Amino acid sequence: MTTVARTPEPDYLHAQTNRKGIGAWIFSTDHKRIGILYLVSMLVFFIAAVTFGVLMRLEMLTPGKTIMQPQTYNTFFTLHGIMMIFLFIIPGLPAVFGNFLLPLMIGAKDVFFPRLNLFSWWLFITGGLLALVSLFLPGGPADTGWTFYVPYSIRTTTNVIPALMAAFILGFSSILTGLNFITTIHRMRAPGMDWFKMPLFIWSLYSTAWIQILATPIIGITLLLVTIERLFGVGIFDPTLGGDPVLYQHLFWIYSHPAVYIVILPGLGVVSEILPVFARRTIFGYKVIAYSSLSIAFIGSLVWAHHMFTVGMSNTGMFIFSLLTFLVSIPSAIKVFNWIATLYKGSIKIEVPFLFVLAFIFQFSIGGLTGLMLGVLSVNIHVQDTYFVVGHFHYVMFGGTGFGLFAAMHYWFPKIFGRMYKNVPAFVGWLLMTIGLNLLYFPFLIMGYMGMPRRYYDYLPQFQTYHVISTVGSWVLVLGIIIIFVNLILSLKKGAKAPMNPWGGKTLEWTVASPPPVENFHEIPIVEKGPYDYSEYEIKPEIAK
Amino acid sequence: MTTAAATHTHRDDVGSRMGMWLFLFTELILFGGLFIVYAVYRFKFPEQFQLAARELDTLVGTVNTIILLTSSLTVAMSITAIQQGKKHLSMMLIGITIIFALAFLVNKYFEWSHKISIGIYPQSPELLNKPPGEILYFGLYYVMTGLHALHVIIGMVVLAFSMVFIATGKINQQSYVKLEAGGLYWHLVDIIWIFLFPLFYLIS
């Protein structure tokens, strides 16, 4: 692998293209530019969805009305859910960092289908705009919750159809990205990079892409059926015409549970990527981590009905789904143990990306363990549809993947933009985010266990203390997010120039300039070693300092 | 190099075919969702499904099955023709495939309009008087054959583009993976019909 920088050539950010201005971005088929397109558009939706979330928390500060009407609250939790899930956290890591890094990490010049990749982004933006437009159409924004449960989603007079279509189009975009990634990973790895020399982030993208391909069509057809049902009254899910609403729930969760793994797997991949770099140590149990990604993808596709333990399934069905749910925890726990084992006797260097990863492991463990509690049938009946469930999945989604995304942003920022950010504000932002997140969501778990139902506009006075703590937590969290964004945005222009490899990473993206040249590699590299080869530090520990 | 697109010059037919197959999986699963719905309701209302299926004309269904199967043959032949460098033959065979597709749709049109004329369509008073199993049967009939017909139309567009590409030389004896992809899509349309036909026409 020669890493000698030759004659200065324009990087992908400054390259001359046929089109000028914004056209050079929104019509670019360069995977790096498409990654940035996703990043920018996704963050816009993220900020909108965070705003909805913060306003909802503010409403819950006092019992009864605080700032908004009940119907507004209903539309807020619906839009918060739809935007966070379909526009931010599902496309988040694969579409932004997957696009940017997949070809760089496997030593390729682009993804296999570059034009299809651009088309996926266009679908993404169409779906996103449709979701936004539905806010302002007569009839008002959807108020069904992000789950679109029938029969309410058939009866409500709000704009459910644009929201359904938005989710449908976003699903299509997700499928095409997954298809592109699988083909790329199969066909475009650099010579010498066999399957078990791939970085673990690539393994997680690969597992994710399979779920995207195999599960998303089910939600596609289900949402389409609800749309047809609303438009023509066909009667597929409408109980008055003989339809079965529980069947809808099955179809919905056949996708939406695996979607949780679409969300979390790339987050786990980011952790596996960052941890060995800052521990200066080969990752513990590489193969097992790779296989555990695949087995999470596989078992995760068979557990959907644990969302439906209260609908009146057969006991046998409940036992089976509960058992399968417990099985998923095995590969997840394997990862956590291997990460901890990686740190053991490492030469740990504490930097901001590493701190985000540590917070990830802590919060993901809380999310995972509460998930086990939810898998227990007797406990599940007790906490079904309470804040306990909401707390659990926010710990996994935000405490896990959300933090993984921020870790990735801080880890690859120098590579993507060629600048370093300031460490102190990043550290303060991290600290505030971690404190804020736990203040915000831990009371959810307690309240939920005490019986606070989810999605309720009003509550009994005994819950108020917890709601107040939680609302304060949301402010701390948002303050942390603002500091982090301001820091990163200022660093885009003012940050010090980043070297090729600021962290001492061993994967291929660190062997090209920061930011990478348009073609990624002058010559396709030949891979001889595994991705986390820190043997030199093990021989001479003093150079790690 | 001026754009990143220009750097993407490698050619890998195996990879292109792989992408197409993955896409076909997603299509199969899309219809798979509908087949689950069908299976659940047929299990729930077996007699009413049987009764409702008597309304369908098996002859029209059979004719359409034969039309689609034959069109799969012609599209496969057009690929063989282009492999042998017979450009005009290949284009003609695609043309025949598109005509078959049109014939299929015309048949479907008459079938649907006949149903509608005797008052069987979603929310019609006639249908609402029937038991729930029959309402579901016809609901699924319209949704599944309708979605299939949409795929027939998409397939026609894809094949029409392939024809243009052959004419302009973009698809030729050396590089015909695009036509193969179009052909695969057409076989998918065919195979879905192979399942729809017995499930709706042959259960009475």
Side-chain angles (χ1 to χ4, degrees), chain A residues 108 175 412 458:
Chain A
I175 288 176
W412 282 296
D458 201 357

Side-chain angles (χ1 to χ4, degrees), chain A residues 462-542:
Chain A
Q462 67 257 39
F463 295 119
Q464 197 178 0
T465 323
Y466 299 105
H467 276 297
V468 171
I469 298 173
S470 170
T471 304
V472 172
S474 76
W475 300 335
V476 179
L477 178 62
V478 165
L479 184 65
I481 294 175
I482 291 172
I483 291 175
I484 278 181
F485 280 149
V486 170
N487 181 36
L488 290 182
I489 289 167
L490 289 181
S491 308
L492 283 179
K493 284 260 175 259
K494 294 186 181 155
K497 284 245 185 284
M500 186 185 274
N501 188 358
W503 314 119
K506 295 285 178 179
T507 36
L508 287 177
E509 80 270 26
W510 303 109
T511 64
V512 299
S514 308
V518 178
E519 283 190 62
N520 295 353
F521 300 94
H522 291 287
E523 285 162 37
I524 297 297
I526 294 168
V527 181
E528 281 151 1
K529 289 178 180 170
Y532 312 107
D533 182 36
Y534 284 96
S535 44
E536 79 253 31
Y537 292 95
E538 277 150 34
I539 301 161
K540 284 195 285 178
E542 68 277 4

Side-chain angles (χ1 to χ4, degrees), chain A residues 16-18 29-30 110-114 172 175-176 179 182-183 186-188 210 213-214 217-218 220-221 224-225 228 232-237 241-244 247 251 254 518-519, chain B residues 1-5 7-8 10 12 14-16 18-20 22-23 25-27 29-34 36-37 40-41 44-45 122-123 128 132 135-136 138-140 143 147 178:
Chain A
Q16 289 297 310
T17 50
N18 295 335
T29 54
D30 181 352
D110 208 320
V111 291
F112 196 91
F113 301 107
F172 201 38
I175 288 176
L176 293 179
L179 180 161
I182 290 183
T183 317
H186 270 275
R187 301 299 303 172
M188 295 179 79
W210 273 110
I213 286 189
L214 296 177
I218 298 283
I221 192 68
L224 207 60
L225 284 174
I228 293 171
F232 305 109
V234 174
I236 289 175
F237 298 126
L241 298 172
D244 184 357
L247 180 60
L251 291 170
I254 285 178
V518 178
E519 283 190 62
Chain B
M1 294 285 170
T2 49
T3 64
T7 68
H8 186 74
H10 75 101
D12 177 2
V14 178
S16 307
M18 182 184 219
M20 190 62 200
L22 289 173
F23 179 70
F25 287 158
T26 69
E27 286 275 17
I29 295 169
L30 187 86
F31 276 93
L34 284 170
I36 292 177
V37 176
V40 168
Y41 290 142
K44 223 172 167 181
F45 307 105
Q123 294 293 325
L128 289 180
I135 300 178
L136 288 170
F138 284 110
L140 284 170
V143 171
L147 195 64
K178 281 199 174 72

Side-chain angles (χ1 to χ4, degrees), chain B residues 138-152:
Chain B
F138 284 110
L140 284 170
Y141 164 77
Y142 277 110
V143 171
M144 290 172 85
T145 57
L147 195 64
H148 177 260
L150 184 69
H151 279 74
V152 172

